[in-house]
Amino acid sequence: MFRVTTWGESHGDSMGCVIDGCPAGLKMGPDIIREELDRDVPYPVLTRRVEENRFQILSGVFQGETIGTPISIIIRNSNVESDKYLKIMSRPRPGHADLAYRMKYGHVDWRGGSRASGRTWAPIIAAGGVARSLCSIRNVRVGSSIVELGGRPITDSNLRSEIERLAETSAKEEDATGGIIEVRIEGLPPGLGAPAFNRFHADLGHGILSIPGIKSFELGSSREAAKMKATEFNDPIRVKNGIVAPASNRAGGVLGGITCGPPVVFRAIVKPTPSVLSFQDTVDLTKMENATISTEGRFDANYTPRVLVVAEAVSAIVTVDHLMISGILDHDSLVPRQERLRYDFKT
Amino acid sequence: MFRVTTWGESHGDSMGCVIDGCPAGLKMGPDIIREELDRDVPYPVLTRRVEENRFQILSGVFQGETIGTPISIIIRNSNVESDKYLKIMSRPRPGHADLAYRMKYGHVDWRGGSRASGRTWAPIIAAGGVARSLCSIRNVRVGSSIVELGGRPITDSNLRSEIERLAETSAKEEDATGGIIEVRIEGLPPGLGAPAFNRFHADLGHGILSIPGIKSFELGSSREAAKMKATEFNDPIRVKNGIVAPASNRAGGVLGGITCGPPVVFRAIVKPTPSVLSFQDTVDLTKMENATISTEGRFDANYTPRVLVVAEAVSAIVTVDHLMISGILDHDSLVPRQERLRYDFKT
Amino acid sequence: MFRVTTWGESHGDSMGCVIDGCPAGLKMGPDIIREELDRDVPYPVLTRRVEENRFQILSGVFQGETIGTPISIIIRNSNVESDKYLKIMSRPRPGHADLAYRMKYGHVDWRGGSRASGRTWAPIIAAGGVARSLCSIRNVRVGSSIVELGGRPITDSNLRSEIERLAETSAKEEDATGGIIEVRIEGLPPGLGAPAFNRFHADLGHGILSIPGIKSFELGSSREAAKMKATEFNDPIRVKNGIVAPASNRAGGVLGGITCGPPVVFRAIVKPTPSVLSFQDTVDLTKMENATISTEGRFDANYTPRVLVVAEAVSAIVTVDHLMISGILDHDSLVPRQERLRYDFKT
Amino acid sequence: MFRVTTWGESHGDSMGCVIDGCPAGLKMGPDIIREELDRDVPYPVLTRRVEENRFQILSGVFQGETIGTPISIIIRNSNVESDKYLKIMSRPRPGHADLAYRMKYGHVDWRGGSRASGRTWAPIIAAGGVARSLCSIRNVRVGSSIVELGGRPITDSNLRSEIERLAETSAKEEDATGGIIEVRIEGLPPGLGAPAFNRFHADLGHGILSIPGIKSFELGSSREAAKMKATEFNDPIRVKNGIVAPASNRAGGVLGGITCGPPVVFRAIVKPTPSVLSFQDTVDLTKMENATISTEGRFDANYTPRVLVVAEAVSAIVTVDHLMISGILDHDSLVPRQERLRYDFKT
């Protein structure tokens, strides 16, 4: 119902997305998207490539409101240094998709990560801005936090110091690290999702596992679930002020794949950024012999913080899709049927 | 390309599936399905409901070979004791989908888990038999093992004793436990999957997270990834006998969402069976007041072993779909184009 | 949103469908389906195969109401005489799908039309019963009539006599004829459909062109459109009692692919039943030489009247899908959100 | 498998498409697209709006060959005169989608046809260039011709004179006319399509009926089918030089929805261009009272000739999709598996 198509390579002319299914009548200025894209690089100290993310809304919006047709957003790739890649084009970088792309496509764009680059998810961040606006119509909020960085637990108070420490040690060790993130979707109406193949958390997991660098999807207290007994793990059900709901949230907000009141909460593991200055073992494909590689491109010492905004965007997109499938959010939510013929002439 | 539609409730007349996209010319006797269904209850000591799983192939097969049309399989629900559920129908069982189903549907089949029951995945097990046959045409094999049960690590040698221990303690404690499983898909051709929204592991994760009781999907050594450095985690690439491939498999067989040679390996957490004899807190919906419940139905002390066969079936189905999308498996693999007109008359 | 999967061959054990997306709380007894299936053979004089269409609802309904899960319906193939086909199995029947099936599949079920038989659309007729019930919640009605039979125009008054005439001449001439049908969908809310690839009439056309024997889809007065001027063809727009609507309906109820008030009306050409007693030219595939064939199976002298009920069913199914996509029909239409928790306990 | 997403309004900044599923290794310069877009206005005498159709390929192509990732194409709307629409924005034009859009969306872009404009199909024409290149790999060719214009039959010899006559009379009468087109897809391998819901001609019909102004889809000699007897209409099957095929083509190239050798041929009715200078009846929505309208925008006296290139593009796109689904065209067709690792380094 709410579908995002993306296109673009990290070192091509531009990247973008087409959003199908957004109802008409949504207030939409560039700020909705600007705000999300500006969160793309939360800690510049961890990143060597900072883009200004110049974008344009090309269709689907007229006089500040969506018109129900596809919304096309384009983001320019302004800051492209692709020369560095020329000399390593025949050496697939370990941990990157280079080898897999050659195996699948044969002909590849060898400049940077191309289509596999995390950078190509900027259009998803932009689409996340639209999804977030739609979520807020039904008071659904998406938030996230870092749980672990480079093997060390993160809290609000040590976040900044840990990031500085990581930037330093990564530079010194010519290496990179990963982390764990947590996302919370709050305010979800009960009843989203379906019994078999459209379980809410499975659709969410599909989206999250599609993000470059993410290696796992863990719902609620799933890691504890493997060691707990049923009486410890099951969330008791209670009634309070006439509202029936689980009294705790080890399940992570879904039962049988269907939302039931509590926030949907999940964690995901982010692998270490594969690009490092240290020499790594690879193969030279022109000679078909073993070789080494040191990747000098621009990349992150740890991209866990940058994954947060992408994970939130994906969560918002999946949520809007389910809100629309369930009929909780539809075109009538924005422009009621009986007002439509004269909507444009209202004062 | 290879699509399985399922239907049926745990205490209804029957359950079944419709398999669309299976090429014509696949040898298919009932044994392909029988063999899989017989693995449904590997350790009867852990289960109180054992079905004989009587099934019938209703369409799509003629004279022992598929004919390319939808394959319909029906499984009878022979062993249905639904009376027990009558007295608890107004009390949603904690950890079950009961509450979520009422929130979503209003009118429910309150006998057993209905559509949310693990039992309704028997048709997927059956479809897995067909998928496995198709996999084997391209030498792809799916296997699995139990990694942890009730919080204790499992090896080949302690599996049986741990299961007996669990059966005993569960009965005594009137409680249930969970575990962790691992699935391996071997022999996969490189190049399956796509960059953005059809990453091989994301599609796999979607299927696996759809299985009742499964709470996580973790690719390769993902849990270690959060604590490792890039130089430790990245799999080196090497050439050997003219074959270029990763020399280790921490990535779990995919790079950038695309298979690249090594087996695809993942783990998944199975939560404790929610139904236990012990009293748990719930609500009586007729009176809208707090209440307790002790579930007397037939259920498992730990259903981790039963999840294995379902996880294998789902993995085989997702794999066949990707083999077909990539053109590696198609109708020509079974009945070459030039033989078709006279295929039925060959001697 | 409302999806029907079908399975079954004309001479197999049975046929059936799985309906996904039907909201919970729809009153549904077997009569809804019985009534439609009984319309399958409106004029037995034209048909040599009359089935009793024994069916069973296997899932998705509990205590006389749908529960929101897939509805599985099975129809037995009671009256199967397949021996006649044994002697013509190597001779593809002209006008039938026999040749195309061999070209595509190689291995085929050569008994009757197999999957290509109009008979395999009985499950769609059954699903149409469910769709019609859902349509009626929003006062949408689907009706149809015969416009032409064997080249002669049909009215209410000459229908029966023309059918008797056709039955007679077909028997005498050992030949068969076709016709033209018209379907009307009334009471449609405006706004169904979308600008580009989900135009209401394109989705409808897709469904209608999928029906065996149907060769065209013509919207509204489309045949006249080719010869008319814009000022003759355009429907004037008028306001009456505060309602703005087209004052005529040459467009057939949609503008730009979107419903706008008037009934959606279309015509479709039905080809002559291909099976006839007369000898026709074909090939013997075992010898790969020219041959002739006279088809002795059971078939219709003219199946135009039987196509009516299938075309209505398809129209109702497409309409329900669009009603649900547009949010005009959803689960809340049947069981309001606030009543769900206690819906089953109401008195 | 081969999917085209489009976006853009006729008077917005630009329009475009995203092509998913094009295999890597397809030679692709701008000429492939240029050539198709230049066919957009074959007879300028019939049209008042002539765009230069400036376009750019933004992604999916590197060093002159596709790389398997989404191909994004943008077309600028250079020639936009939208002032004329300001004064008629409250008066929906008869025969246009204006009224339907207001009923569906409420908030609309009232400049020109917006998303409903035939102009927004330029991106499909561009995508058709890519599809045509893919078709030619398998020797499939798509061609078309005008059968009737303004009610008069068209042949190669009278085409130009009839067009001039139409341009003249339309201007004089301040009116517009329609026509009938025929499309032929030649060289199709047998076996494309599927028995039930993916019949080749139904998918084709869906695409064709989605084109603005097209009112019907008629396969083969379908119009004659309604009046013929089976023995007249059925195509005899013959063997010649070891090839079994229908010896005539009244069926239009498909049997049971599956291609069987002969070209797929269909006709479609094009309605008269709705915009005319003559006054037509409509409603003023601000006052909710009857009114008249004379449309002064730039439009065609008869857009039948312009529909040809769109219908060809849609036919090529649907065909490529079916070639890929059937495994007849896949990535291996362009870059064989064993050459992929070193494909970029070949000399």
Side-chain angles (χ1 to χ4, degrees):
Chain A
M1 296 284 282
F2 185 76
R3 197 172 61 250
V4 183
T5 304
T6 65
W7 55 271
E9 289 81 46
S10 62
H11 288 67
D13 172 85
S14 48
M15 307 175 308
C17 65
V18 183
I19 304 170
D20 273 284
C22 180
L26 180 71
K27 298 265 175 296
M28 192 173 138
D31 51 306
I32 281 178
I33 290 161
R34 181 76 278 159
E35 212 167 288
E36 295 298 315
L37 284 175
D38 283 351
R39 296 175 58 205
D40 184 16
V41 182
Y43 304 101
V45 68
L46 286 177
T47 306
R48 284 188 242 167
R49 178 180 186 181
V50 180
E51 301 268 358
E52 38 166 340
N53 280 329
R54 283 183 306 129
F55 73 94
Q56 196 184 351
I57 302 168
L58 299 174
S59 70
V61 178
F62 182 62
Q63 298 181 334
E65 280 182 31
T66 58
I67 55 171
T69 61
I71 300 169
S72 175
I73 301 171
I74 189 171
I75 302 176
R76 301 287 168 192
N77 278 327
S78 49
N79 180 1
V80 173
E81 298 174 23
S82 35
D83 288 353
K84 287 171 186 162
Y85 296 99
L86 190 54
K87 60 181 171 189
I88 57 167
M89 69 171 281
S90 64
R91 302 188 181 194
R93 295 163 299 166
H96 274 285
D98 299 359
L99 178 65
Y101 271 49
R102 289 208 182 269
M103 285 169 161
K104 183 177 184 70
Y105 298 115
H107 181 54
V108 302
D109 178 349
W110 39 259
R111 301 168 303 170
S114 182
R115 184 76 185 146
S117 166
R119 166 114 190 97
T120 64
W121 285 68
I124 287 289
I125 298 177
V130 180
R132 201 185 282 275
S133 287
L134 288 166
C135 279
S136 70
I137 293 171
R138 286 287 172 261
N139 294 315
V140 177
R141 298 164 306 280
V142 180
S144 66
S145 58
I146 299 172
V147 171
E148 197 180 296
L149 268 185
R152 288 156 70 126
I154 297 298
T155 60
D156 278 5
S157 58
N158 73 345
L159 172 60
R160 194 158 296 268
S161 61
E162 284 296 322
I163 278 172
E164 270 155 34
R165 192 185 61 79
L166 273 182
E168 239 171 79
T169 54
S170 296
K172 202 173 59 191
E173 298 174 0
E174 304 190 335
D175 214 333
T177 51
I180 302 178
I181 62 165
E182 180 173 292
V183 178
R184 293 173 68 84
I185 315 174
E186 296 186 302
L188 285 169
L192 302 187
F197 299 114
N198 290 92
R199 297 193 166 217
F200 187 81
H201 68 283
D203 287 352
L204 200 54
H206 186 265
I208 294 300
L209 289 165
S210 300
I211 300 172
I214 281 194
K215 302 290 287 180
S216 78
F217 178 86
E218 308 168 19
L219 185 66
S221 311
S222 63
R223 209 171 276 201
E224 284 74 24
K227 303 203 189 304
M228 281 171 129
K229 293 184 179 162
T231 51
E232 295 164 335
F233 184 74
N234 290 344
D235 297 308
I237 301 170
R238 301 276 82 179
V239 59
K240 200 172 158 182
N241 304 329
I243 305 291
V244 178
S248 55
N249 192 17
R250 283 178 289 272
V254 299
L255 287 171
I258 295 167
T259 58
C260 55
V264 167
V265 184
F266 66 85
R267 294 190 170 193
I269 288 165
V270 182
K271 74 171 184 176
T273 322
S275 294
V276 291
L277 271 168
S278 298
F279 281 90
Q280 300 187 77
D281 285 343
T282 186
V283 166
D284 188 311
L285 295 173
T286 52
K287 307 182 193 154
M288 283 303 258
E289 57 188 38
N290 288 335
T292 59
I293 191 170
S294 156
T295 41
E296 297 175 39
R298 296 155 307 157
F299 34 72
D300 301 293
N302 185 316
Y303 52 29
T304 310
R306 296 185 68 179
V307 167
L308 284 187
V309 60
V310 182
E312 285 187 24
V314 167
S315 300
I317 290 166
V318 172
T319 299
V320 168
D321 193 36
H322 272 277
L323 288 171
M324 294 182 80
I325 288 169
S326 294
I328 288 167
L329 182 71
D330 65 8
H331 188 33
D332 244 33
S333 316
L334 288 159
V335 186
R337 213 164 296 282
Q338 65 278 14
E339 296 177 18
R340 289 189 196 155
L341 266 190
R342 296 169 56 88
Y343 181 85
D344 273 345
F345 314 111
K346 65 173 188 274
T347 43
Chain B
M1 297 284 283
F2 185 77
R3 196 173 60 250
V4 183
T5 304
T6 64
W7 55 271
E9 288 82 46
S10 62
H11 288 67
D13 171 87
S14 48
M15 307 173 310
C17 65
V18 182
I19 304 170
D20 273 283
C22 182
L26 179 72
K27 298 264 176 294
M28 193 174 138
D31 49 306
I32 280 177
I33 290 160
R34 181 75 279 155
E35 212 167 286
E36 294 298 315
L37 285 175
D38 283 352
R39 296 173 60 205
D40 183 17
V41 182
Y43 304 102
V45 68
L46 286 177
T47 308
R48 284 187 240 168
R49 178 179 184 182
V50 180
E51 300 270 356
E52 37 166 341
N53 278 330
R54 284 182 306 129
F55 73 94
Q56 196 184 350
I57 302 169
L58 299 173
S59 71
V61 179
F62 181 62
Q63 298 181 335
E65 279 182 32
T66 57
I67 54 172
T69 61
I71 301 169
S72 176
I73 301 171
I74 188 171
I75 301 176
R76 301 287 168 193
N77 279 327
S78 50
N79 180 2
V80 174
E81 297 175 22
S82 35
D83 288 354
K84 286 170 186 163
Y85 296 98
L86 190 54
K87 60 181 171 189
I88 57 167
M89 68 170 282
S90 63
R91 301 187 181 194
R93 296 165 298 166
H96 274 285
D98 299 0
L99 178 65
Y101 271 49
R102 287 208 182 270
M103 284 170 160
K104 182 175 185 70
Y105 298 116
H107 181 53
V108 302
D109 179 349
W110 38 259
R111 302 168 304 169
S114 182
R115 184 74 186 149
S117 168
R119 167 116 190 94
T120 64
W121 285 69
I124 286 288
I125 298 177
V130 180
R132 200 185 282 275
S133 289
L134 289 167
C135 279
S136 69
I137 292 171
R138 287 288 171 259
N139 293 316
V140 177
R141 299 164 305 282
V142 180
S144 67
S145 59
I146 298 173
V147 171
E148 196 181 297
L149 269 185
R152 288 156 71 127
I154 297 298
T155 61
D156 278 5
S157 58
N158 73 345
L159 172 60
R160 193 157 296 268
S161 63
E162 284 295 322
I163 278 172
E164 269 155 34
R165 192 184 62 80
L166 273 181
E168 238 172 79
T169 55
S170 295
K172 202 172 61 190
E173 297 174 0
E174 304 190 335
D175 214 332
T177 51
I180 302 178
I181 63 165
E182 181 173 291
V183 177
R184 292 174 69 84
I185 314 176
E186 296 186 302
L188 284 169
L192 302 187
F197 299 114
N198 289 93
R199 299 193 163 216
F200 187 82
H201 68 282
D203 286 353
L204 201 53
H206 185 264
I208 296 299
L209 289 166
S210 301
I211 301 171
I214 281 194
K215 301 291 286 181
S216 79
F217 178 86
E218 308 170 19
L219 185 66
S221 310
S222 63
R223 210 173 278 200
E224 283 76 22
K227 303 204 188 305
M228 282 172 128
K229 294 184 178 163
T231 51
E232 297 165 334
F233 185 75
N234 290 345
D235 297 307
I237 301 170
R238 302 276 82 181
V239 59
K240 201 173 158 182
N241 304 328
I243 305 291
V244 178
S248 56
N249 193 16
R250 282 180 288 273
V254 299
L255 287 171
I258 294 168
T259 59
C260 54
V264 167
V265 185
F266 66 85
R267 294 190 170 191
I269 288 165
V270 182
K271 74 172 185 176
T273 323
S275 293
V276 292
L277 271 168
S278 297
F279 280 90
Q280 299 186 75
D281 284 345
T282 187
V283 165
D284 188 311
L285 295 173
T286 51
K287 306 181 194 154
M288 285 301 259
E289 57 187 38
N290 287 335
T292 59
I293 191 170
S294 155
T295 41
E296 297 175 40
R298 297 156 306 158
F299 35 72
D300 301 293
N302 184 316
Y303 53 29
T304 310
R306 298 185 67 179
V307 167
L308 284 187
V309 62
V310 183
E312 285 187 25
V314 167
S315 300
I317 289 166
V318 171
T319 299
V320 167
D321 193 36
H322 272 277
L323 288 171
M324 295 183 79
I325 287 169
S326 294
I328 288 167
L329 181 72
D330 66 6
H331 188 32
D332 243 32
S333 316
L334 289 160
V335 186
R337 215 163 294 281
Q338 65 276 18
E339 294 176 20
R340 289 189 195 155
L341 266 190
R342 296 167 57 88
Y343 181 85
D344 272 346
F345 314 111
K346 63 173 191 272
T347 45
Chain C
M1 297 285 283
F2 186 76
R3 196 171 62 250
V4 182
T5 304
T6 65
W7 56 270
E9 288 82 47
S10 63
H11 287 67
D13 171 87
S14 47
M15 307 174 309
C17 65
V18 183
I19 305 169
D20 273 283
C22 181
L26 179 72
K27 298 264 175 296
M28 192 173 138
D31 50 305
I32 281 178
I33 290 161
R34 181 76 278 157
E35 213 167 285
E36 295 298 316
L37 285 175
D38 282 352
R39 297 173 58 205
D40 184 18
V41 183
Y43 303 101
V45 69
L46 287 176
T47 307
R48 285 188 239 167
R49 178 179 185 184
V50 180
E51 301 269 355
E52 37 168 336
N53 279 331
R54 283 182 305 128
F55 73 95
Q56 196 185 349
I57 302 169
L58 300 173
S59 71
V61 178
F62 181 63
Q63 297 182 334
E65 280 183 31
T66 57
I67 55 172
T69 62
I71 301 168
S72 176
I73 301 170
I74 189 171
I75 302 175
R76 302 287 168 192
N77 278 327
S78 49
N79 179 3
V80 174
E81 297 176 23
S82 35
D83 288 354
K84 285 170 186 163
Y85 297 98
L86 190 55
K87 60 182 173 189
I88 58 166
M89 68 171 282
S90 64
R91 303 188 179 193
R93 296 164 298 166
H96 274 284
D98 298 1
L99 179 65
Y101 271 48
R102 288 205 181 272
M103 285 170 160
K104 182 176 184 70
Y105 298 116
H107 181 54
V108 302
D109 179 349
W110 38 259
R111 301 168 303 170
S114 182
R115 183 73 186 150
S117 167
R119 166 115 189 94
T120 64
W121 286 68
I124 286 289
I125 299 177
V130 179
R132 200 185 282 275
S133 287
L134 288 166
C135 279
S136 70
I137 292 171
R138 287 288 172 260
N139 294 315
V140 177
R141 298 162 306 281
V142 180
S144 66
S145 59
I146 298 172
V147 172
E148 196 180 296
L149 268 186
R152 289 156 70 125
I154 297 297
T155 60
D156 278 4
S157 58
N158 72 345
L159 172 60
R160 193 156 296 268
S161 63
E162 283 297 322
I163 279 172
E164 269 155 35
R165 193 186 61 80
L166 273 182
E168 239 172 78
T169 55
S170 295
K172 201 172 61 191
E173 299 174 0
E174 303 189 337
D175 214 331
T177 50
I180 302 178
I181 63 166
E182 180 174 290
V183 178
R184 292 173 68 84
I185 315 176
E186 296 186 303
L188 283 170
L192 302 187
F197 299 114
N198 289 93
R199 298 193 165 217
F200 187 81
H201 68 283
D203 287 353
L204 200 54
H206 185 265
I208 295 301
L209 289 165
S210 301
I211 300 172
I214 281 194
K215 303 291 286 179
S216 79
F217 178 87
E218 308 168 19
L219 185 66
S221 312
S222 63
R223 209 172 279 201
E224 284 74 23
K227 304 202 189 306
M228 282 171 127
K229 294 184 178 162
T231 50
E232 296 165 334
F233 185 74
N234 290 344
D235 298 307
I237 301 171
R238 303 275 82 182
V239 59
K240 200 172 158 184
N241 304 328
I243 305 291
V244 177
S248 56
N249 192 16
R250 284 179 288 273
V254 299
L255 287 170
I258 295 168
T259 58
C260 54
V264 167
V265 185
F266 66 87
R267 293 190 171 192
I269 288 164
V270 182
K271 75 172 185 175
T273 322
S275 295
V276 291
L277 270 169
S278 298
F279 280 90
Q280 299 186 75
D281 285 345
T282 186
V283 166
D284 188 311
L285 296 173
T286 52
K287 307 181 193 154
M288 282 303 259
E289 58 187 36
N290 288 334
T292 59
I293 190 170
S294 155
T295 42
E296 297 176 39
R298 297 155 308 156
F299 34 73
D300 301 292
N302 184 315
Y303 53 28
T304 309
R306 297 185 68 179
V307 167
L308 285 187
V309 61
V310 182
E312 285 187 24
V314 166
S315 301
I317 289 166
V318 171
T319 299
V320 168
D321 193 35
H322 272 276
L323 288 171
M324 294 182 79
I325 287 169
S326 294
I328 289 168
L329 182 70
D330 67 6
H331 188 33
D332 243 33
S333 317
L334 289 159
V335 185
R337 215 163 293 281
Q338 64 277 15
E339 294 177 19
R340 289 189 196 156
L341 267 189
R342 296 167 57 88
Y343 182 84
D344 273 345
F345 314 111
K346 64 173 191 272
T347 44
Chain D
M1 296 285 281
F2 185 76
R3 196 171 61 251
V4 183
T5 304
T6 65
W7 55 270
E9 288 82 46
S10 63
H11 287 67
D13 171 86
S14 48
M15 308 175 308
C17 66
V18 183
I19 305 170
D20 273 283
C22 180
L26 180 72
K27 297 266 175 295
M28 193 174 138
D31 50 306
I32 281 177
I33 290 161
R34 181 76 279 156
E35 212 167 285
E36 295 298 317
L37 284 176
D38 283 352
R39 297 173 59 206
D40 184 16
V41 182
Y43 304 102
V45 68
L46 286 177
T47 307
R48 284 188 240 168
R49 177 179 185 182
V50 180
E51 300 269 356
E52 38 168 338
N53 278 330
R54 285 182 304 130
F55 73 95
Q56 195 185 350
I57 303 169
L58 299 174
S59 70
V61 178
F62 181 63
Q63 298 182 334
E65 280 183 31
T66 57
I67 54 171
T69 61
I71 300 169
S72 176
I73 300 170
I74 189 171
I75 301 176
R76 301 286 167 192
N77 278 328
S78 50
N79 180 2
V80 173
E81 298 175 22
S82 34
D83 287 354
K84 286 170 186 163
Y85 296 99
L86 189 55
K87 60 182 173 190
I88 58 167
M89 68 171 281
S90 64
R91 301 187 182 194
R93 296 165 298 166
H96 274 284
D98 300 359
L99 178 65
Y101 270 49
R102 289 208 181 269
M103 285 170 160
K104 183 177 184 67
Y105 298 115
H107 181 53
V108 302
D109 178 349
W110 38 259
R111 300 169 304 170
S114 183
R115 184 75 186 147
S117 167
R119 166 112 190 100
T120 64
W121 285 68
I124 285 290
I125 298 177
V130 180
R132 199 185 284 274
S133 287
L134 288 167
C135 279
S136 70
I137 292 171
R138 287 287 172 262
N139 294 315
V140 177
R141 298 164 306 281
V142 180
S144 66
S145 58
I146 299 173
V147 171
E148 197 180 296
L149 269 184
R152 290 156 70 127
I154 298 296
T155 60
D156 278 4
S157 58
N158 73 344
L159 173 60
R160 194 156 296 267
S161 62
E162 284 296 322
I163 279 173
E164 270 154 35
R165 193 186 61 80
L166 273 182
E168 238 171 81
T169 54
S170 295
K172 200 173 62 193
E173 298 174 359
E174 304 190 334
D175 215 331
T177 52
I180 302 178
I181 63 165
E182 180 173 290
V183 178
R184 292 173 68 84
I185 314 175
E186 295 187 303
L188 284 169
L192 302 188
F197 299 113
N198 290 92
R199 299 193 163 216
F200 187 82
H201 68 283
D203 286 353
L204 201 54
H206 186 265
I208 295 300
L209 290 165
S210 300
I211 300 172
I214 282 194
K215 302 292 287 180
S216 79
F217 178 87
E218 308 169 19
L219 186 66
S221 311
S222 64
R223 210 172 277 201
E224 285 75 22
K227 303 203 189 305
M228 282 170 128
K229 292 183 180 166
T231 51
E232 297 165 333
F233 184 74
N234 290 344
D235 298 306
I237 301 171
R238 301 277 84 181
V239 60
K240 200 173 160 183
N241 305 328
I243 305 292
V244 178
S248 56
N249 192 17
R250 283 180 288 274
V254 299
L255 287 171
I258 295 169
T259 59
C260 55
V264 167
V265 185
F266 66 87
R267 294 190 170 192
I269 288 164
V270 182
K271 73 171 186 176
T273 322
S275 293
V276 291
L277 271 168
S278 297
F279 280 90
Q280 298 186 76
D281 285 345
T282 185
V283 166
D284 187 312
L285 296 173
T286 51
K287 308 181 193 155
M288 285 300 261
E289 57 188 37
N290 288 335
T292 59
I293 190 169
S294 157
T295 43
E296 297 176 39
R298 296 156 307 158
F299 34 73
D300 302 292
N302 185 315
Y303 52 30
T304 309
R306 298 186 68 178
V307 167
L308 284 186
V309 61
V310 183
E312 285 187 24
V314 166
S315 300
I317 290 166
V318 171
T319 299
V320 168
D321 193 36
H322 272 277
L323 288 171
M324 295 183 80
I325 287 169
S326 293
I328 288 168
L329 181 71
D330 66 7
H331 188 32
D332 244 32
S333 317
L334 289 160
V335 186
R337 215 163 294 281
Q338 64 277 15
E339 296 176 18
R340 289 188 197 157
L341 267 189
R342 295 166 57 87
Y343 182 85
D344 272 345
F345 314 111
K346 64 172 191 273
T347 43

